């Protein structure tokens, strides 16, 4: 199994599409083996500087959206996810 761990230092999380962004206390794990689709885009201008990427992960049973923080931890997590998706030819 391939998991990605999201901590509060890495990203803000939207648990389901259309829900509000939440600060999730503790570590949040996503099983990437259940991934159906991934979308990554640059953050909107009003978030520029605070966040480096807006990522939507569509799993077979739900969606999760992450705003990766513009920080060493957030940038590294974004790079790790991008590498994982590239290796599996998932366009994001």
């Amino acid at each position: 199994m391939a998991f990605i761990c999201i901590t509060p230092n890495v990203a803000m999380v939207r648990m389901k599409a259309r829900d509000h962004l939440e600060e999730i206390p503790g570590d949040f794990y996503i099983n990437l083996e259940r991934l159906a689709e991934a979308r990554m885009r640059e953050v909107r201008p009003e978030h520029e500087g605070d966040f480096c990427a807006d990522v939507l992960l569509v799993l077979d049973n739900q969606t999760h959206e992450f705003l990766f923080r513009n920080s060493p931890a957030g940038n590294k997590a974004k790079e790790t996810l991008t590498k994982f998706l590239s290796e599996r030819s998932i366009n994001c």
Side-chain angles (χ1 to χ4, degrees):
M1 286 189 189
F3 285 90
I4 184 171
C5 176
I6 304 296
T7 68
N9 293 334
V10 168
M12 288 186 71
V13 179
R14 190 184 314 266
M15 294 292 289
K16 295 179 182 161
R18 299 190 180 109
D19 285 356
H20 65 282
L21 288 166
E22 299 179 29
E23 294 278 356
I24 303 292
D27 295 345
F28 184 73
Y29 292 88
I30 295 286
N31 183 353
L32 294 174
E33 299 299 326
R34 302 186 75 178
L35 188 64
E37 183 180 345
R39 298 181 198 167
M40 188 178 300
R41 64 179 182 218
E42 296 301 316
V43 295
R44 296 188 309 259
E46 61 266 24
H47 292 296
E48 203 169 304
D50 295 327
F51 300 99
C52 64
D54 187 354
V55 177
L56 176 68
L57 297 180
V58 180
L59 307 176
D60 56 12
N61 62 343
Q62 62 188 350
T63 62
H64 294 293
E65 184 178 1
F66 304 103
L67 274 173
F68 280 89
R69 297 186 190 282
N70 192 11
S71 67
N75 291 330
K76 181 159 177 51
K78 177 194 167 230
E79 289 168 12
T80 301
L81 178 60
T82 301
K83 183 174 184 266
F84 175 87
L85 296 172
S86 297
E87 289 171 355
R88 283 153 184 78
S89 299
I90 297 174
N91 189 11
C92 61

